[in-house]
Amino acid sequence: MTVELRHLRCFLAIAEEGNITRAAEKLHLSQPAVSRTLRQLETHLGVRLVERSTHKLALTTQGERFRERAATALAVVTEALDPAGVRPSPLRVGHAWAALGPHTATLLRRWEREHPGSPLELLRIDERTAGLAEGRVDAALLRAKVQARALVSEPVLTERRVAAVPTGSRLAGYRTLSMADFTGETVAVNPVSGVTTLDLWPVRTRPTRALEVANTDDWLAAIAAGRAVGLTTSATPSVHTYPGVTFVPVTDAPPIEVVLAWRRDRPHPAVPSLLALARDVVATHSTPPGGRAGCAKGTMGA
């Protein structure tokens, strides 16, 4: 059997999603087709890449090693087949949600003015590394921990967390909330690109249950409908609006670090300039801690 790009894409989707069903949805394939493609790859390599059980799916040691090689190979081929060829390469910056929060528009305007020969493309990609691990972007603004050895990350700013609650609900009437106020609530979580899990809470004050959603839009809809509450960062109320969602500062939640990440082996030449500009924009246009989240309605995040 000859290994094709579809085998690499299939394996990377499974590794990213941690679930055969979600990987199949992402690739627009059937679940049996994804399972069959994975088996073909494992047979060719002569090793098991994924451990499957009734309750979970995890990469084996060999699978973790192969993940970086597969991502690198796919990125190289993607770049080689890029019809743009020798034309000036745009700096593609991925983000899963909120980008640089209230600083996003300023960053884009200043980049356009200060780097006219290097186009910047901001792309929203709903996955853990916002397309960076798969080579779909050159850099990414992330709010999740970067653990892959193939990626480099540098901090840009720190954001406080805010609660997202249904407008008119009991929690929406408070000026501030604490983590303990979530006890007994259902919390909407986005396992694909979100920053919230029930592990953030001590066991004795942990919310009743988690409602998993597939993307940011579903996260917002679940909260607006009164099915759950959410925990996000102070960036989100300043970026988007959504009727029926109110944001309230959370005083004792751990902050979130926003980083700019890029691939170690093939950095885009404009990445250092982007990092410097992002830090300067944040330093120049910083808002007071917590911002105006307490009176804002609607946003993105999870």
Side-chain angles (χ1 to χ4, degrees):
M1 185 202 80
T2 301
V3 173
E4 303 173 4
L5 293 181
R6 63 186 178 88
H7 292 94
L8 301 183
R9 291 193 179 99
C10 180
F11 169 71
L12 289 173
I14 293 171
E16 182 70 33
E17 299 296 331
N19 181 281
I20 294 289
T21 301
R22 289 199 295 266
E25 292 174 352
K26 178 178 181 179
L27 296 170
H28 304 291
L29 297 172
S30 67
Q31 184 174 338
V34 170
S35 297
R36 184 169 58 252
T37 303
L38 174 61
R39 287 196 301 271
Q40 291 173 347
L41 180 60
E42 290 179 323
T43 299
H44 176 82
L45 295 174
V47 297
R48 182 175 289 277
L49 300 174
V50 176
E51 288 290 354
R52 310 163 184 83
S53 71
T54 304
H55 302 291
K56 65 179 181 178
L57 179 151
L59 297 185
T60 63
T61 301
Q62 293 87 349
E64 290 287 357
R65 293 172 181 166
F66 184 70
R67 182 179 187 175
E68 286 192 20
R69 294 166 58 191
T72 299
L74 186 60
V76 169
V77 173
T78 300
E79 182 178 4
L81 298 178
D82 184 356
V86 296
R87 296 199 299 269
S89 175
L91 176 57
R92 302 165 300 169
V93 181
H95 70 104
W97 48 275
L100 203 60
H103 308 292
T104 303
T106 302
L107 176 70
L108 296 177
R109 285 196 298 267
R110 285 191 53 183
W111 182 270
E112 183 77 14
R113 183 172 67 249
E114 299 174 22
H115 302 274
S118 181
L120 189 153
E121 298 177 358
L122 188 65
L123 307 172
R124 176 183 162 187
I125 301 176
D126 289 321
E127 60 184 16
R128 183 62 54 183
T129 65
L132 183 58
E134 295 182 357
R136 296 168 64 185
V137 296
D138 305 296
L141 289 162
L142 305 175
R143 290 171 174 82
K145 291 184 178 179
V146 179
Q147 298 176 328
R149 292 192 301 271
L151 304 183
V152 181
S153 65
E154 287 288 339
V156 177
L157 78 156
T158 299
E159 297 171 343
R160 292 189 175 185
R161 298 201 195 225
V162 299
V165 299
T167 301
S169 66
R170 175 182 63 86
L171 295 180
Y174 290 89
R175 294 182 62 85
T176 62
L177 294 172
S178 69
M179 295 290 281
D181 290 319
F182 288 80
T183 304
E185 299 286 343
T186 296
V187 175
V189 298
N190 177 356
V192 178
S193 59
V195 294
T196 299
T197 68
L198 294 187
D199 292 336
L200 284 172
W201 283 266
V203 175
R204 60 186 177 82
T205 59
R206 189 163 292 173
T208 304
R209 61 183 287 264
L211 174 65
E212 288 196 1
V213 296
N215 53 55
T216 300
D217 296 330
D218 291 349
W219 183 85
L220 287 165
I223 295 169
R227 298 176 58 206
V229 299
L231 187 64
T232 182
T233 81
S234 56
T236 56
S238 63
V239 178
H240 295 271
T241 58
Y242 197 92
V245 179
T246 294
F247 291 86
V248 184
V250 179
T251 58
D252 58 349
I256 287 292
E257 186 175 64
V258 181
V259 303
L260 180 69
W262 61 92
R263 293 191 61 84
R264 188 187 304 274
D265 56 346
R266 296 180 301 102
H268 190 288
V271 165
S273 297
L274 177 62
L275 177 61
L277 180 59
R279 285 174 168 170
D280 185 63
V281 166
V282 169
T284 305
H285 301 277
S286 292
T287 56
R292 294 175 53 81
C295 58
K297 293 184 180 180
T299 184
M300 300 180 63

